[in-house]
């Protein structure tokens, strides 16, 4: 009924909520064979996300809890500022871009205040405020429901706003980036909106300080084969540097 990645994302969500899953229950829930479910659990185990047990699996890696905007902003602040400055260099006059909500993407917004002839769509209330009086930036806000935890606008109205547009670049903030599972976020509606953003942009640029690597949050946005560029800091591990390059992703180190 679902493709492999959707099914495994559902299993991971069940693992995160309950701590363990049973093959028989997943067979009933997902409408596939026990052989398929066992294959899914083996794949999640190979990614370090689950541990197989008799008749099912348990969660091996607990997603980190979501933090507030002030908490996030205080973490790795200098690295985020460098990443934002580096990302701003990729914006050219005449560009139409999306800037996702977040505390790394807000740094990008600060460095775009002097940009000329740029159109920005954002779902981030803090990003909109930062760019509201930037003379060279035409600003478009998505409609939708404000999620106060992240100052992001989301929901079906926000997703519908995207359908009439085509963008040159998407600058995407994430809560986690895993070489096998892809890029993730804590909240389902944000993941859904981010996925729609990916569909509407020609180039996908992920902004993530090195602490995000190896993390898996509950909801996947996309797998890494949809990402063109990752901008991060010099603390990136050799494993993730080599893994991203091997995946054909442009890797930029903001120093």
């Amino acid at each position: 009924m679902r493709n492999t990645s959707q099914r495994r994302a559902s299993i991971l969500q069940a693992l995160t909520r309950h701590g363990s899953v049973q093959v028989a229950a997943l067979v009933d829930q997902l409408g596939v064979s026990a052989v398929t479910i066992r294959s899914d659990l083996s794949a999640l185990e190979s990614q370090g996300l689950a541990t197989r047990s008799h008749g099912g699996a348990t969660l091996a890696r607990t997603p980190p809890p979501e933090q507030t905007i002030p908490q996030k902003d205080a973490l790795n602040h200098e690295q985020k500022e460098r990443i934002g400055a580096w990302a701003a260099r990729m914006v050219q006059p005449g560009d139409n871009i999306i800037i996702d909500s977040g505390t790394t993407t807000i740094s990008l917004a600060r460095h775009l205040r002097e940009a000329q002839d740029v159109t920005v769509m954002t779902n981030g209330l803090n990003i909109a405020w930062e760019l509201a009086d930037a003379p060279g930036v035409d600003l478009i806000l998505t409609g939708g429901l404000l999620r106060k935890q992240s100052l992001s606008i989301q929901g079906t109205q926000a997703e519908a706003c995207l359908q009439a547009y085509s963008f040159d670049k998407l600058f995407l903030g994430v809560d986690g980036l895993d070489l096998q599972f892809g890029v993730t976020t804590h909240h389902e509606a944000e993941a859904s909106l981010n996925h729609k953003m990916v569909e509407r942009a020609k180039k996908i640029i992920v902004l993530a300080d090195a602490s995000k690597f190896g993390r898996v949050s509950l909801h996947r946005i996309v797998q890494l084969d949809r990402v063109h560029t990752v901008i991060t800091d010099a603390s990136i591990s050799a494993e993730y540097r080599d893994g991203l390059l091997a995946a054909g992703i442009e890797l930029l180190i903001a120093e």
Side-chain angles (χ1 to χ4, degrees):
M1 298 293 291
R2 302 182 178 198
N3 65 36
T4 300
S5 63
Q6 290 174 325
R7 191 175 60 248
R8 290 176 182 174
S10 295
I11 294 172
L12 181 60
Q13 289 167 18
L15 277 166
T16 303
R17 291 192 184 102
H18 306 297
S20 65
V21 293
Q22 294 297 310
V23 171
L26 291 172
V27 167
D28 292 339
Q29 177 187 341
L30 299 175
V32 295
S33 69
V35 172
T36 297
I37 294 298
R38 292 190 187 99
S39 175
D40 292 337
L41 294 178
S42 294
L44 292 175
E45 185 175 49
S46 71
Q47 295 170 24
L49 301 173
T51 301
R52 293 289 305 277
S53 60
H54 181 69
T58 57
L59 185 66
R61 189 193 305 173
T62 303
E66 184 176 13
Q67 296 171 312
T68 65
I69 288 287
Q71 287 172 327
K72 287 182 178 180
D73 198 39
L75 292 172
N76 304 309
H77 184 76
E78 292 183 6
Q79 293 92 325
K80 291 175 181 178
E81 282 297 308
R82 287 195 290 269
I83 291 168
W86 199 278
R89 300 177 196 173
M90 301 185 70
V91 179
Q92 303 298 320
D95 272 353
N96 304 308
I97 67 173
I98 312 176
I99 303 180
D100 177 35
S101 62
T103 57
T104 308
T105 50
I106 188 64
S107 175
L108 164 61
R110 282 193 286 266
H111 286 92
L112 286 180
R113 288 182 54 81
E114 304 303 321
Q116 296 297 317
D117 190 25
V118 173
T119 299
V120 174
M121 173 177 270
T122 186
N123 67 317
L125 193 62
N126 54 345
I127 289 168
W129 182 257
E130 187 68 41
L131 292 173
D133 61 349
V137 176
D138 290 330
L139 185 63
I140 307 170
L141 277 71
T142 65
L145 177 68
L146 176 66
R147 183 168 183 255
K148 295 178 182 179
Q149 177 81 358
S150 57
L151 293 181
S152 61
I153 303 169
Q154 57 190 230
T156 55
Q157 187 177 355
E159 293 180 18
C161 286
L162 293 166
Q163 297 308 311
Y165 295 94
S166 176
F167 295 92
D168 299 302
K169 303 176 180 83
L170 162 62
F171 293 92
L172 182 64
V174 302
D175 291 319
L177 187 155
D178 182 84
L179 291 174
Q180 284 75 43
F181 198 71
V183 292
T184 55
T185 189
H186 283 90
H187 197 259
E188 183 175 11
E190 288 186 5
S192 179
L193 178 60
N194 288 161
H195 188 84
K196 295 292 185 183
M197 290 176 173
V198 169
E199 293 178 343
R200 305 311 303 168
K202 298 171 187 174
K203 186 170 185 177
I204 314 306
I205 304 162
V206 170
L207 310 185
D209 67 82
S211 71
K212 303 293 179 64
F213 299 140
R215 290 186 181 181
V216 176
S217 294
L218 181 57
H219 299 282
R220 176 160 56 198
I221 300 169
V222 287
Q223 293 181 306
L224 288 179
D225 61 359
R226 299 294 302 275
V227 174
H228 299 95
T229 302
V230 171
I231 307 178
T232 189
D233 61 81
S235 298
I236 184 173
S237 68
E239 174 191 2
Y240 270 80
R241 182 189 64 237
D242 296 344
L244 291 170
L245 292 174
I249 295 171
E250 178 186 31
L251 180 62
L252 302 177
I253 308 297
E255 296 182 288

